[in-house]
């Protein structure tokens, strides 16, 4: 019934993170992973294993679940959106790394990861990892622009959502998005 | 120079970012002022920008291959889609964008791009077959679906008849339509919807924007069935739109089943029609949903009862309309019609859109309508269903609805805990809830009005049925009997509760001696026995429970502690305070060792403190209260029912020590918490008011004390049955303050009512009646009615002397009053021996 205080609610983690505790982000990932796998399991059961599971959709669903439990505070929602994008990125990269490592003769895979097959295509995985690298460089050049990119690209957020999450104007979002695209295109295009 | 040029070009390109492409030419003419190479550079930059975007978007699309909806791309104007030329964007929704377009033959149409649909062959197939069904709809009030297809980029689209119209509500206001005209128009909507339903098409997204009225005053429904096209075929495929708040349906108009994502049917449209009619007639929507949280939306749509349209109309001031007049017109039949369409349960709504139109016709013709107001039976059923997981909770809900027993939330919480403890299986619980529901279904609805007599009848009937109809299902029967016993007990019908609980205990015993259910039932029985004053029986029952629990769990188990707690209360009832305190100390000891003592430690500390307070150990009590407060704060923070209870208790200690300021402070805190965690009429809040009154009384501020007692009284009148003894306590408080303030006439009414209540509750020779008589007597003296006062005071004194003894403060006061009275009336003073 009335359970004691939980230490691992997403809300708390987000608060901790915005208070400067960077370990909170990892905890948030863990939380998302756990949710993810429990949802994946359920889906698998329901679909009798026949269909392919779209992991990106699952991750989104997971975030939706966490989102639903967020207190209705603007600050909190902002942090959540921005963090969710960061977490999305991290998760995608993790999967991409795993796919890439399988190619290299991959040594280790968590059992439950067999439930999910996100980026089975190794070429895409490699490209994604490359993009992550480029983006890391870009972060040093222009932090805000790279954040905008993160929200739009990994978080799949609209211009308005991104503007809300980062507390900047939609026009700025559009400009930043363009600048970031240009940077990526320059490094990875052709 | 070249660098300057580049910089300038970049700057200009940036400036163009948010400007539509067809305006670029003009602007560039102006900005470049003939510098062709600059102009080229800008355009080159723009082209590079676009390529960069396309590159990234393409990459994103690859990764997110199944969640395309998160990537939006606008169709450019003048663009050609198959045979259609885009003219302008008309609107944009969650996963679709509508354009005005022109066919090669010159016909204007609405082109709707459906971005939410999958690319794979499965989705396409579904899209095409749905499209064929929609195209078959042919009704003057429904916009035709002309064509459909898939763009080169792979986005499906539909072509619909272009309707140049205004949303229904807007149009009605603009044309200043009266009630009748509005209803007539709305009936057309219903009939069109009905036509579609007969062709197996559900609209799924009825809202004013989809119900247009043309220049000619004709209804045109648009987007019929489009929502279904946009529906994801797999759960979860569409969730991202949800997160960003763009949802297919409009939450204000969506039915509960839509919000919950369960089976949608034609009556889902009936619900939305109800909301539409609500808006059309009352001038506002039943719910104002501002949140984007699906959880909250679901809560509002599925659990909140909308205000009656007639009430809503009152709160809405519309230009040129008399809201009082409108409210009057809506009140009654129209309220019922609208709310019937809007039932949360699909099967309770009008079975079809046509039947809604027909009932409106009945209304217009002044004939009786078929919609009915909800019955108590219905409300009870609903409540029980909501709580059916824990059957015990249902029982509490049952009582609450029928007689308004307060403190329901807290009790329900406890009941759920008990239910868990008793290991009621979900299935059993379900069976029990079903049974309760049936009980109400079969009762005559006309008799099922509020009032405990009917409740009592139903309960009696249930008791009978459980005994006969559940024969052979011993476990369910025993559980059910236990529940009924509990309900009787909560209604104060102890005589009826006793056999029910006894049978429950016997039932469990026959299944398995010493099972957890048996123990739990026995404990319930012990509680009842205690309340009935059968202290010997209560003690032996509890003792048995205690022994069994010790055997099950060992001496230091929480179960043992809670049984000891009950036993302590029984000892206290027998006047054996020392033994009671010792037991509670044992309890507290066990709890303190518990790594997760939780709420129990707090409760036990509180109980022990109260006992110590009562036996005069004020300081010890204070320490325990302090500890309890610490524990509660640690577990729940400051705002919790337990905190309120404990502060209230603690304030008594302060008062006893003469620290009136602290007493007042703690009471005010308790009041503030109570008002946050309980409903406004919760009995506890009445207790706090009363205690505040007592502190003010001690301080000699009788006017303020009167106010507080009065607050408590008003609250108790609202929440307690008229014969409840707490009501008498409040009446005493108010009456005494009137006496202090010299308003004996007002006091008399109060004190007489208090005396009447007590006479119903207690034996004629009970000291509490005596005390009540003494107060009334004192009041009558003040009023100069000595002859009436005399017998009251004399009887009171006799009773007090024999029950409380001559040293008791009440006895002494009564004696003094009687003495005074007799002196006054010239009689011989009674000598005190």
């Amino acid at each position: 019934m009335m359970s004691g205080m939980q230490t691992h609610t997403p809300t708390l983690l987000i608060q901790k993170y915005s208070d400067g505790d960077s370990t909170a982000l990892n905890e948030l990932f863990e939380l998302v992973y756990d949710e993810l796998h429990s949802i994946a399991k359920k889906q698998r059961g329901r679909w009798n294993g026949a269909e392919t599971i779209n992991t990106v959709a699952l991750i989104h669903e997971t975030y939706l679940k966490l989102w639903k439990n967020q207190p209705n505070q603007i600050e909190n929602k902002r942090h959540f959106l921005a963090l969710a994008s960061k977490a999305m990125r991290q998760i995608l990269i993790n999967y991409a790394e795993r796919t890439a490592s399988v190619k290299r003769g991959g040594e280790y895979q968590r059992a439950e990861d067999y439930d999910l097959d996100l980026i089975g295509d190794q070429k895409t995985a490699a490209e994604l990892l490359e993009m992550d690298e480029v983006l890391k460089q870009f972060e040093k050049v222009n932090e805000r622009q790279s954040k905008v990119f993160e929200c739009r690209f990994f978080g799949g957020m609209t211009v308005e959502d991104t503007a809300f999450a980062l507390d900047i104007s939609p026009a700025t979002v559009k400009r930043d998005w363009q600048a970031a695209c240009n940077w990526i295109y320059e490094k990875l295009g052709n | 120079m070249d660098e300057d040029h580049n910089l300038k070009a970049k700057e200009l390109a940036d400036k163009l970012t948010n400007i539509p492409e067809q305006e670029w030419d003009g602007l560039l003419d102006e900005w470049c002022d003939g510098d062709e190479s600059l102009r080229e550079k800008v355009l080159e930059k723009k082209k590079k920008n676009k390529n960069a975007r396309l590159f990234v978007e393409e990459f994103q699309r690859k990764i997110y291959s199944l969640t395309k909806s998160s990537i939006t791309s606008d169709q450019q104007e003048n663009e050609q889609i198959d045979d259609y030329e885009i003219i302008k964007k008309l609107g944009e929704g969650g996963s679709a964008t509508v354009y005005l377009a022109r066919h090669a033959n010159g016909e204007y149409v609405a082109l709707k791009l459906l971005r939410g649909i999958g690319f794979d062959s499965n989705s396409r197939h579904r899209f095409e077959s749905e499209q064929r069904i929609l195209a078959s709809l042919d009704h003057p009030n429904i916009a035709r679906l002309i064509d459909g297809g898939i763009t080169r980029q792979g986005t499906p689209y539909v072509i619909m008849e272009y309707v140049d119209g205004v949303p229904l509500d807007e149009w009605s206001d603009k044309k200043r339509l009266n009630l009748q005209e509005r209803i007539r128009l709305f009936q057309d909507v219903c009939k069109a919807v009905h036509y579609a339903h007969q062709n197996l098409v559900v609209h799924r997204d009825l809202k004013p924007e989809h119900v247009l009225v043309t220049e000619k005053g004709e209804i045109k429904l648009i987007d019929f069935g489009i929502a279904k096209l946009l529906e994801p075929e797999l759960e979860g495929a569409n969730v991202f739109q949800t997160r960003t708040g763009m949802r297919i349906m409009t939450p204000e108009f969506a039915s509960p089943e839509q919000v919950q994502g369960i089976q949608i049917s034609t009556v889902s449209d009936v619900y939305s029609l109800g909301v539409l009619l609500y808006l059309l007639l009352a001038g506002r929507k039943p719910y104002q949903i501002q949140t984007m949280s699906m959880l909250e939306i679901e809560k509002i749509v599925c659990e909140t009862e909308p205000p009656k349209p007639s009430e809503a109309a009152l709160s809405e001031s519309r230009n040129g309309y008399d809201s009082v007049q409108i409210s009057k017109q809506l009140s009654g039949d129209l309220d019922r019609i609208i709310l019937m369409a809007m039932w949360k349960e699909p099967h309770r709504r009008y079975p079809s859109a046509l039947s809604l139109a027909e009932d409106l016709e009945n209304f217009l013709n002044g004939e009786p309508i078929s919609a009915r107001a909800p019955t108590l039976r219905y409300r009870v059923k609903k409540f029980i269903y909501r709580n059916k997981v824990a059957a015990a909770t249902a029982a509490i809900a049952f009582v609450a609805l029928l007689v308004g027993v307060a403190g329901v939330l807290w009790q329900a919480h406890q009941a759920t805990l008990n239910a868990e403890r008793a290991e009621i299986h979900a299935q059993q619980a379900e069976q029990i809830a079903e049974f309760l529901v049936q009980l109400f279904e079969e009762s005559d609805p006309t008799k099922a009005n509020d009032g405990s007599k009917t409740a009592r009848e139903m309960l009696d009937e249930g008791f009978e049925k459980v005994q006969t109809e559940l024969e052979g299902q011993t476990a369910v029967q025993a559980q059910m009997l236990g529940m009924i016993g509990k309900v009787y007990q909560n209604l104060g019908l102890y005589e009826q509760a006793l056999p029910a609980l006894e049978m429950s205990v016997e039932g469990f015993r026959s299944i398995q001696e010493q099972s957890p259910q048996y123990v739990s039932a026995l404990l319930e029985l012990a509680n009842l026995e205690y309340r009935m004053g059968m202290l010997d029986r209560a003690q032996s029952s509890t003792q048995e429970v205690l022994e069994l629990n010790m055997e099950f769990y060992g001496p230091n188990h929480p179960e043992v502690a809670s049984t000891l707690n009950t036993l302590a209360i029984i000892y206290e009832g027998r006047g054996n305070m020392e033994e009671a305190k010792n037991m509670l100390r044992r309890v507290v000891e066990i709890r303190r060792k518990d790594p997760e003592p939780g709420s129990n430690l707090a409760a036990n500390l509180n109980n022990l403190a109260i006992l110590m307070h009562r036996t005069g150990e004020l300081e010890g009590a204070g320490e325990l209260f302090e500890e309890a407060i610490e524990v509660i704060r640690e577990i729940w923070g400051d705002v919790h029912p337990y905190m309120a209870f404990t502060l209230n208790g603690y304030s008594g200690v302060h008062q006893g020590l003469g620290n009136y300021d602290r007493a007042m402070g703690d009471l005010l805190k308790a009041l503030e918490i109570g008002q946050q965690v309980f409903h406004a009429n919760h009995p506890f809040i009445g207790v706090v008011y009363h205690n505040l009154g007592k502190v003010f009384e001690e301080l000699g501020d009788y006017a303020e004390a009167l106010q507080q007692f009065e607050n408590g009284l008003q609250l108790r009148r609202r929440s307690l049955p008229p014969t409840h003894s707490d009501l008498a306590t409040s009446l005493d408080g108010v009456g005494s303050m009137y006496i202090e303030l010299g308003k004996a006439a007002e006091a008399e009414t109060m004190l007489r009512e208090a005396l009447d209540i007590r006479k119903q509750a207690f034996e004629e020779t009970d000291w509490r009646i005596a005390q009540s008589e003494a107060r009334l007597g004192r009041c009558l003296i003040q009023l100069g009615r000595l002859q009436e006062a005399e017998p009251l005071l004399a009887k009171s004194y006799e009773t007090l002397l024999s029950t409380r003894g001559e040293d008791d403060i009440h006895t002494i006061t009564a004696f003094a009053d009687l003495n005074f009275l007799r002196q006054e009336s010239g009689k011989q003073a009674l000598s005190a021996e």
Side-chain angles (χ1 to χ4, degrees):
Chain A
M1 271 310 292
M2 223 168 288
S3 63
M5 189 76 87
Q6 282 177 21
T7 45
H8 295 291
T9 66
T11 317
L12 249 145
L13 291 173
I14 289 164
Q15 237 156 43
K16 270 166 76 182
Y17 183 72
S18 52
D19 290 346
D21 179 357
S22 59
T23 59
L25 193 61
N26 288 330
E27 285 181 58
L28 190 64
F29 294 151
E30 280 303 313
L31 204 72
V32 172
Y33 268 126
D34 287 351
E35 281 282 344
L36 194 57
H37 287 290
S38 84
I39 292 176
K41 225 179 228 161
K42 255 188 263 158
Q43 303 270 41
R44 192 146 275 236
R46 187 157 68 227
W47 295 341
N48 215 10
E51 274 90 348
T52 334
I53 296 162
N54 182 297
T55 312
V56 179
L58 281 182
I59 298 172
H60 280 147
E61 187 178 352
T62 307
Y63 275 104
L64 174 72
K65 237 174 122 177
L66 297 177
W67 170 257
K68 279 210 272 185
N69 297 322
Q70 288 305 298
N72 211 1
Q73 285 161 359
I74 294 221
E75 266 319 297
N76 200 297
K77 293 204 159 189
R78 278 193 213 292
H79 287 312
F80 184 87
L81 282 176
L83 260 187
S85 301
K86 210 175 211 23
M88 281 283 305
R89 173 177 171 183
Q90 193 54 52
I91 287 169
L92 283 167
I93 296 304
N94 285 355
Y95 278 104
E97 271 171 353
R98 199 159 292 133
T99 304
S101 80
V102 170
K103 187 186 174 189
R104 291 193 302 267
E107 62 289 11
Y108 163 75
Q109 213 169 358
R110 286 205 290 193
E112 65 266 33
D113 288 342
Y114 289 111
D115 281 348
L116 303 167
D117 181 23
L118 171 59
I119 301 164
D121 167 15
Q122 285 166 351
K123 184 166 163 281
T124 314
E127 281 170 1
L128 190 60
L129 291 175
E130 207 179 338
M131 166 175 288
D132 190 49
E133 279 310 308
V134 170
L135 208 53
K136 275 181 192 153
Q137 295 163 24
F138 187 48
E139 267 157 29
K140 289 175 200 141
V141 179
N142 191 319
E143 205 194 333
R144 191 191 67 208
Q145 290 180 350
S146 75
K147 273 190 181 153
V148 167
F149 187 85
E150 199 164 64
C151 285
R152 304 256 298 142
F153 189 91
F154 293 103
M157 289 160 58
T158 61
V159 170
E160 282 68 29
D161 281 347
T162 309
F164 172 76
L166 302 177
D167 203 9
I168 54 183
S169 76
T172 308
V173 171
K174 282 186 195 169
R175 269 197 305 275
D176 284 358
W177 169 243
Q178 183 67 62
C181 285
N182 288 351
W183 172 279
I184 300 282
Y185 185 54
E186 202 169 298
K187 304 279 174 188
L188 298 177
N190 326 305
Chain B
M1 175 63 202
D2 209 34
E3 208 166 294
D4 268 8
H5 226 170
N6 273 336
L7 227 66
K8 177 95 178 150
K10 189 183 175 311
E11 189 190 310
L12 293 180
D14 279 350
K15 274 171 99 171
L16 291 175
T17 303
N18 296 321
I19 296 169
E21 217 164 325
Q22 69 266 33
E23 289 171 36
W24 291 1
D25 264 351
L27 284 169
L28 285 175
D29 283 347
E30 191 183 313
W31 293 343
C32 301
D33 196 21
D35 184 345
E36 273 312 307
S37 82
L38 178 62
R39 186 193 184 100
E40 233 157 75
K41 272 216 168 85
V42 173
L43 286 173
E44 195 187 314
K45 273 244 152 33
K46 289 309 286 186
K47 188 159 180 245
K48 219 176 118 197
N49 281 353
K50 195 170 180 183
N51 284 341
R53 272 201 322 266
L54 286 175
F55 171 77
V56 170
E57 278 167 13
E58 183 52 40
F59 190 50
Q60 193 182 25
R61 195 168 290 136
K62 197 152 81 184
I63 292 172
Y64 285 55
S65 55
L66 278 175
T67 45
K68 301 144 303 294
S69 52
S70 56
I71 305 150
T72 48
S73 64
D74 256 4
Q75 291 300 312
Q76 294 297 331
E77 274 139 44
N78 304 319
E79 200 175 315
Q80 195 78 20
I81 293 180
D82 294 337
D83 291 338
Y84 300 92
E85 183 196 358
I86 302 285
I87 307 293
K88 64 170 183 181
K89 195 200 270 188
L90 292 172
E92 186 154 18
S95 15
T97 314
V98 194
Y99 300 91
L100 176 64
R102 186 170 43 209
H103 188 255
N105 69 12
E107 188 191 358
Y108 281 93
V109 296
L111 185 149
K112 192 158 197 160
L113 274 180
L114 309 170
R115 271 182 274 98
I117 301 182
F119 285 74
D120 56 88
S121 60
N122 227 349
S123 313
R124 284 191 189 195
H125 181 73
R126 200 173 71 115
F127 172 65
E128 279 157 13
S129 72
E130 284 293 336
Q131 193 195 314
R132 269 197 300 278
I133 296 174
L134 294 178
S136 72
L137 287 184
D138 182 15
H139 189 277
N141 299 120
I142 297 177
R144 263 177 318 125
L145 186 119
I146 299 166
D147 198 1
I150 291 164
T151 67
R152 256 169 295 140
Q153 290 85 1
T155 313
Y157 66 86
V158 286
I159 304 287
M160 287 173 299
E161 178 185 348
Y162 171 63
V163 179
D164 189 11
V166 181
L168 176 62
D169 57 328
E170 227 176 88
W171 198 83
S172 306
D173 285 350
K174 212 172 78 185
K175 295 279 174 187
R176 318 210 52 75
L177 298 190
N178 65 24
L179 190 82
Q180 293 225 338
E181 292 165 323
R182 281 166 193 252
I183 292 175
R184 289 269 174 240
L185 208 50
F186 182 78
Q187 283 177 309
D188 286 346
V189 179
C190 291
K191 284 170 194 161
V193 170
H194 185 67
Y195 164 82
H197 285 175
Q198 285 179 315
N199 286 278
L200 306 178
V201 180
V202 180
H203 191 294
R204 289 164 182 251
D205 196 12
L206 281 168
K207 55 182 177 182
E209 293 77 14
H210 287 158
V211 181
L212 302 179
V213 187
T214 64
E215 252 325 284
K216 286 184 260 173
E218 245 176 19
I219 291 284
K220 278 278 188 193
L221 295 174
I222 61 168
D223 271 12
F224 232 106
I226 300 297
K228 180 157 187 212
L229 291 181
L230 291 170
E231 225 171 60
E233 53 246 270
L234 298 176
E235 268 176 83
N238 163 54
V239 291
F240 197 59
Q241 297 161 17
T242 315
R243 190 186 67 62
T244 49
M246 299 187 296
R247 211 173 154 81
I248 289 166
M249 63 195 187
T250 319
E252 282 98 338
F253 291 87
S255 59
E257 62 268 27
Q258 264 169 304
V259 172
Q260 290 173 317
I262 47 185
Q263 190 71 45
I264 288 173
S265 69
T266 52
V267 285
S268 309
D269 276 353
V270 172
Y271 176 94
S272 304
L273 283 172
V275 180
L276 195 62
L277 184 59
Y278 194 117
L279 171 67
L280 192 63
L281 301 187
R284 51 162 269 202
K285 294 172 203 156
Y287 309 111
Q288 318 290 326
I289 298 178
Q290 267 141 15
T291 173
M292 268 169 35
S293 148
M294 280 310 295
L295 204 67
E296 276 174 62
I297 291 173
E298 195 179 317
K299 224 180 147 112
I300 295 172
V301 176
C302 301
E303 287 173 23
T304 317
E305 294 297 337
K308 285 183 188 168
S310 58
E311 283 162 17
L314 272 183
S315 68
E316 190 68 25
S317 66
R318 278 190 289 168
N319 262 350
Y321 286 98
D322 177 355
S323 56
V324 176
Q325 178 67 23
I326 290 176
S327 173
K328 256 192 210 149
Q329 288 175 324
L330 296 185
S331 162
D333 282 354
L334 284 172
D335 273 346
R336 282 208 286 279
I337 289 175
I338 293 171
L339 293 179
M340 170 132 169
M342 283 179 64
W343 275 117
K344 310 255 183 242
E345 296 80 358
H347 69 274
R348 296 197 157 261
R349 295 175 201 147
Y350 287 105
S352 68
L354 187 66
S355 50
L356 168 57
E358 283 169 354
D359 221 12
L360 285 167
E361 191 64 39
N362 288 337
F363 168 78
L364 291 175
N365 297 335
E367 283 162 19
I369 59 162
S370 66
R372 291 181 165 274
T375 58
L376 174 76
R377 179 173 58 108
Y378 166 75
R379 280 182 280 141
V380 169
K381 185 177 161 185
K382 211 170 137 189
F383 209 104
I384 290 172
Y385 258 115
R386 236 185 266 154
N387 292 281
K388 71 181 167 186
V389 189
T393 314
I396 298 295
F398 175 79
V399 181
L401 264 162
L402 294 173
V403 291
V405 170
V408 177
L409 278 180
W410 193 244
Q411 286 185 39
H413 165 66
Q414 289 306 117
T416 314
L417 283 179
N418 289 339
E420 277 164 12
R421 201 177 307 148
E423 289 170 10
I424 299 175
H425 297 296
Q427 203 191 341
Q428 249 179 44
E430 186 115 350
Q431 224 176 331
I432 290 162
E434 277 301 327
F435 189 87
L436 269 180
V437 168
Q438 246 183 11
L439 191 61
F440 283 99
E441 290 262 76
E442 287 164 17
S443 313
D444 182 356
T446 55
K447 278 204 300 199
N449 52 9
D450 296 85
S452 55
K453 193 169 170 238
T454 311
R456 169 72 195 283
E457 280 167 9
M458 286 189 210
L459 202 55
D460 289 346
E461 201 182 319
F463 190 19
E464 286 247 1
K465 279 190 187 172
V466 168
Q467 292 174 67
T468 52
E469 290 176 20
L470 288 178
E471 212 167 345
Q473 292 174 267
T474 318
V476 175
Q477 191 184 37
Q479 193 66 52
M480 199 62 211
L481 283 167
M483 244 168 64
I484 288 179
K486 223 166 164 171
V487 175
Y488 273 130
Q489 190 176 344
N490 283 330
L491 286 171
L493 300 167
Y494 297 159
E495 298 295 335
Q496 285 72 23
L498 190 62
L501 289 182
E502 282 170 346
M503 280 187 254
S504 169
V505 167
E506 273 318 304
F508 282 127
R509 198 207 300 271
S510 75
I511 298 169
Q512 190 199 346
E513 264 185 58
Q514 309 189 344
S515 71
Q517 282 96 334
Y518 168 68
V519 173
S520 151
L522 190 58
L523 193 59
E524 196 64 49
L525 178 62
N527 277 327
L528 175 67
E529 288 165 342
Y530 164 73
R531 288 205 196 174
M532 292 178 79
M534 302 154 76
L535 297 181
D536 286 338
R537 279 184 59 172
Q539 193 182 328
S540 86
S541 297
T542 314
Q543 199 72 48
E544 188 184 341
V545 172
L546 180 66
E547 277 154 29
L548 286 172
N549 279 340
M550 295 257 257
E551 205 175 298
F552 288 156
Y553 306 110
N556 288 322
H557 191 276
E559 269 320 306
V560 172
S562 78
T563 317
L564 275 169
N565 187 50
T566 308
L567 206 50
I569 294 169
I570 294 169
Y571 274 113
E572 186 220 337
R574 311 191 75 166
N576 193 344
M577 294 298 195
E578 288 313 309
E579 194 56 35
K581 278 191 285 187
N582 284 338
M583 295 209 157
L584 279 178
R585 284 197 187 99
R586 268 280 292 136
V587 173
V588 167
E589 243 170 73
I590 297 176
R591 300 287 190 209
R592 279 195 184 124
K593 277 186 215 145
D594 188 345
E596 286 176 46
S599 57
N600 294 314
L601 175 59
N604 299 140
L605 284 168
N606 185 59
N607 288 353
L608 181 54
I610 288 172
L611 269 194
M612 290 173 71
H613 177 201
R614 235 180 268 162
T615 51
E617 296 169 68
L618 291 184
E619 256 128 66
E623 279 167 31
L624 289 172
F625 276 126
E626 288 281 355
E627 189 183 344
I629 287 172
E630 278 314 302
V631 172
I632 294 164
R633 182 168 292 142
E634 203 171 300
I635 307 177
W636 296 294
D638 279 327
V639 182
H640 188 272
Y642 274 177
M643 184 63 96
F645 295 156
T646 307
L647 283 170
N648 178 57
Y650 197 13
S651 79
V653 172
H654 295 317
Q655 198 179 353
L657 291 169
N659 297 331
Y660 297 115
D661 284 352
R662 287 204 62 182
M664 189 94 71
D666 280 353
L667 283 173
L668 290 175
K669 263 190 257 170
L671 183 64
E672 200 188 318
I673 298 168
Q675 283 166 339
Q676 285 181 59
V677 297
F678 299 122
H679 60 87
N681 289 332
H682 192 283
F684 174 76
I685 296 175
V687 170
V688 178
Y689 279 136
H690 189 81
N691 288 341
L692 274 170
K694 286 201 316 210
V695 176
F696 281 114
E697 183 183 353
E698 292 273 4
L699 289 168
D701 186 345
Y702 299 125
E704 190 55 39
L706 175 67
Q707 185 57 51
Q708 299 300 337
F709 285 132
E710 185 69 45
N711 286 346
L713 177 63
Q714 293 311 331
L715 187 144
R716 285 173 170 171
R717 280 201 198 281
R718 285 193 297 270
S719 61
L720 297 177
T723 53
H724 198 284
S725 69
D726 282 353
L727 214 52
T729 311
S730 276
L731 286 162
D732 280 347
V734 174
S736 307
M737 288 312 98
Y738 275 133
I739 293 179
E740 296 294 347
L741 292 165
K743 295 181 176 172
E746 281 91 338
E748 188 193 347
T749 328
M750 299 287 158
L751 296 177
R752 279 201 191 279
E753 193 185 338
L755 182 57
D756 283 345
I757 291 172
R758 293 207 169 90
K759 280 191 169 165
Q760 288 180 54
F762 305 116
E763 296 284 308
E764 192 58 40
T765 52
D766 193 285
W767 67 272
R768 284 162 289 200
I769 290 188
Q771 218 181 315
S772 217
E773 285 167 338
R775 265 197 213 95
L776 181 58
R778 210 169 301 140
C779 171
L780 292 173
I781 294 175
Q782 220 180 62
L783 285 168
R785 284 146 61 187
L786 303 184
Q787 279 184 334
E788 277 172 75
E790 215 262 10
L792 274 174
L793 280 171
K795 174 169 171 272
S796 163
Y797 175 67
E798 286 300 325
T799 311
L800 287 171
L801 190 61
S802 62
T803 54
R804 310 285 297 186
E806 60 181 351
D807 290 336
D808 188 274
I809 176 75
H810 302 293
T811 317
I812 295 168
T813 319
F815 173 71
D817 285 335
L818 193 56
N819 220 357
F820 171 80
L821 174 94
R822 291 190 172 156
Q823 272 173 1
E824 281 293 298
S825 46
K827 288 194 179 168
Q828 200 68 32
L830 191 74
S831 70
E833 281 173 302

